[in-house]
Amino acid sequence: MRVLILGGGPAGYEAALVAAQLGAEVRLVEERGVGGSAVLTDVVPSKTLIATAEWLRGTEQAQELGITLSARPGEAVVDLSRVNARVRRLAAEQSRDLSARMAQKGVTVLPGRGRLGGLDRDGVRTIHYTDPQGSTQELQAELVLLATGARPRELPAARPDGRRILTWTQLYDLEALPEHLVVVGSGVTGAELAGAYLALGSRVTLVSSRELVLPTVDRDAAALVEEAFRSRGMEVLSGARAEATRVVGEGPQEQVEVRLADGRVVHGSHCLMAVGAVPATADLGLEEAGVALEPSGHVRVDRVSRTTAYRVYAAGDCTGVLPLASVAAMQGRIAMRHALGDAVAPLEVETVSQAVFTLPEIASVGISEAELEQLDAVATTVPLGRNPRAKMLGLKDGFVKLYSQRRSGEVLGGVVVGSRASEQILPVTLAVTHRLTVEQVMNAFSVYPSLSGTLTEAARQLHVR
């Protein structure tokens, strides 16, 4: 079978690998490079930058741990041009590695764009392909996967210029650290990058339209992160909605002016607009091909990634299921296995673990605290500060929160806040996925001393007699 995939991000390249493994003839059309936005401008670059910021954050604790780094303990100088050069290099290397893997598995990668065309009576669909030079040709496939991702949302009164007013895709071209970065938007992207630039040495003002940063995560976790931001010198403007952003002044006096709905004006050297993303579904011929879209522009799919068009599947951020690379990859794999007749289980979003790479990190899986009463569940919270390993590492901020069913003791979810929370959430994810009880978790041996010991302590507190 001939498979054509539009988009080379996690959904696209993982789907390509599965389709090739199952014996299909696979072509992947990608405009920017294999890996897509996740590798080139989003996940890989941002987490590389945050890793640098995390290292710098660690130097702030040097004196407490008995380490003198220089005559002025904890001081470090950031060369953002070198930091960003490394970020871009690692992203490019990851993209090249993925391209090599595609070639090794027999996947043909076509640089450029594709647009859905008509379907003939034999079930073969035409795709109108345009290469980087503008030449066009028609490709045929029996199976199509849409994996075109999403792009940063732009506000009419705050158009990015790539120099002073930036989206998160443009940050990695900066040659010098912003003197004062104004971040508009306190969701995951805004909070992560605001915290990173604060640690790198910028003055940061975070404009949050909500009462608390990170409105979609556990409230206790969000409150802890916001308090950490404020204690380290970040200015957080809560309940403040940005109406417009513009560049004012010239030469050395040039700066950014952010006007808020309440009349206040915030000035900074740069502004990061982190106000969400929109699906990249325009000009793909979707409506003409019978692919139904949600009012938001996302492609409507079922739990095995089928669209409303014959043998057209969709996966990743263009579907709006969950904007996570791990979910995109799983959707892509499920789509190809289902379409090509392999055994497959539908997507289970209830067992998806998520992480926010702030300092400290937040990770969660399963139910939220708001669902406890409805599910007759109970919760416990164990502070990280009393963990012996955390004390040795000089870690104070964080906790483990665990949820279980009151009668059976089944683990229903949890939240981890602290260093490497994104790594520590896996045991909770396994417990939720395989319906383990708190007794089974508490009877597993955790290393002493280790941060994971806090999880087994939480399970002991939820023990059902």
Side-chain angles (χ1 to χ4, degrees):
M1 179 175 287
R2 292 173 294 178
V3 173
L4 195 136
I5 299 171
L6 299 182
Y13 68 71
E14 287 290 343
L17 291 172
V18 169
Q21 182 183 33
L22 295 176
E25 176 189 317
V26 187
R27 286 174 291 187
L28 186 152
V29 178
E30 167 56 43
E31 188 173 15
R32 303 186 59 190
V34 179
S37 297
V39 168
L40 295 169
T41 59
D42 194 351
V43 182
V44 171
S46 66
K47 303 314 175 272
T48 303
L49 181 78
I50 290 166
T52 303
E54 186 176 18
W55 187 92
L56 280 167
R57 178 79 178 102
T59 66
E60 296 174 17
Q61 299 172 292
Q63 194 167 20
E64 178 186 343
L65 298 176
I67 300 170
T68 299
L69 299 177
S70 67
R72 295 160 68 179
E75 181 179 317
V77 177
V78 174
D79 182 340
L80 193 67
S81 64
R82 292 179 63 187
V83 171
N84 279 341
R86 177 174 181 265
V87 167
R88 294 191 299 268
R89 184 177 71 251
L90 290 179
E93 287 176 1
Q94 179 69 5
S95 181
R96 286 195 297 272
D97 288 346
L98 288 168
S99 295
R101 193 174 177 197
M102 295 296 108
Q104 182 185 24
K105 298 299 181 181
V107 176
T108 301
V109 176
L110 301 173
R113 290 179 55 83
R115 192 175 190 278
L116 295 191
L119 189 70
D120 69 19
R121 64 182 59 188
D122 296 319
V124 177
R125 187 174 297 278
T126 296
I127 294 87
H128 306 291
Y129 164 68
T130 304
D131 69 18
Q133 288 72 45
S135 299
T136 61
Q137 67 179 100
E138 294 186 349
L139 308 175
Q140 277 73 43
E142 285 84 19
L143 174 63
V144 175
L145 175 73
L146 304 170
T148 50
R151 54 179 175 77
R153 183 186 301 278
E154 296 183 6
L155 304 181
R159 293 293 186 193
D161 61 8
R163 201 171 53 83
R164 292 282 181 182
I165 305 173
L166 308 156
T167 69
W168 66 80
T169 67
Q170 298 167 329
L171 280 173
Y172 312 107
D173 293 324
L174 292 177
E175 291 295 317
L177 198 65
E179 179 184 344
H180 181 188
L181 179 65
V182 181
V183 179
V184 176
S186 64
V188 172
T189 300
E192 286 184 344
L193 292 170
Y197 274 88
L198 182 70
L200 290 171
S202 291
R203 178 186 168 196
V204 176
T205 297
L206 180 60
V207 179
S208 173
S209 64
R210 304 299 185 92
E211 172 194 349
L212 199 62
V213 301
L214 296 167
T216 61
V217 307
D218 178 84
R219 188 173 178 83
D220 293 334
L224 190 153
V225 166
E226 181 169 320
E227 177 55 34
F229 282 171
R230 293 182 187 274
S231 68
R232 287 161 44 209
M234 185 186 297
E235 182 181 19
V236 180
L237 303 180
S238 301
R241 186 175 298 278
E243 281 195 337
T245 303
R246 62 173 185 153
V247 178
V248 297
E250 295 180 358
Q253 305 303 316
E254 188 178 68
Q255 59 180 335
V256 173
E257 179 183 277
V258 180
R259 190 175 73 247
L260 307 183
D262 60 10
R264 286 180 292 173
V265 176
V266 181
H267 292 95
S269 62
H270 297 76
C271 177
L272 168 64
M273 298 299 298
V275 289
V278 294
T281 54
D283 195 31
L284 294 177
L286 302 187
E287 293 89 343
E288 298 89 334
V291 177
L293 301 178
E294 303 291 351
S296 60
H298 291 97
V299 180
R300 187 181 303 164
V301 293
D302 63 13
R303 290 175 58 207
V304 292
S305 291
R306 286 178 297 194
T307 73
T308 54
Y310 178 72
R311 298 197 72 79
V312 176
Y313 287 67
D317 288 1
C318 68
T319 68
V321 173
L322 275 175
L324 301 170
S326 58
V327 172
M330 184 64 77
Q331 283 183 288
R333 290 190 288 262
I334 287 173
M336 286 301 103
R337 290 195 174 110
H338 182 269
L340 297 173
D342 197 11
V344 67
L347 182 70
E348 294 281 356
V349 295
E350 295 81 6
T351 59
V352 174
S353 54
Q354 306 185 49
V356 183
F357 291 83
T358 44
L359 303 174
E361 292 180 4
I362 302 171
S364 62
V365 67
I367 70 168
S368 67
E369 197 156 4
E371 300 172 272
L372 290 179
E373 186 175 343
Q374 171 189 343
L375 297 172
D376 190 27
V378 291
T380 190
T381 301
V382 181
L384 182 66
R386 73 186 193 205
N387 179 290
R389 179 66 170 163
K391 292 176 182 177
M392 296 169 194
L393 294 169
L395 304 175
K396 299 185 179 78
D397 297 332
F399 60 79
V400 170
K401 186 182 289 190
L402 203 61
Y403 309 127
S404 67
Q405 212 283 326
R406 188 185 303 276
R407 290 187 177 85
S408 68
E410 180 184 334
V411 177
L412 300 178
V415 182
V416 179
V417 182
S419 176
R420 298 292 190 270
S422 54
E423 308 288 349
Q424 294 184 65
I425 197 65
L426 180 60
V428 188
T429 304
L430 290 171
V432 172
T433 302
H434 297 289
R435 308 187 68 174
L436 302 184
T437 65
V438 290
E439 284 71 26
Q440 289 172 308
V441 174
M442 77 181 196
N443 287 326
F445 284 93
S446 59
V447 171
Y448 182 87
S450 70
L451 297 178
S452 60
T454 301
L455 172 59
T456 51
E457 181 183 349
R460 288 193 294 274
Q461 292 187 5
L462 290 175
H463 171 56
V464 179
R465 292 188 64 183

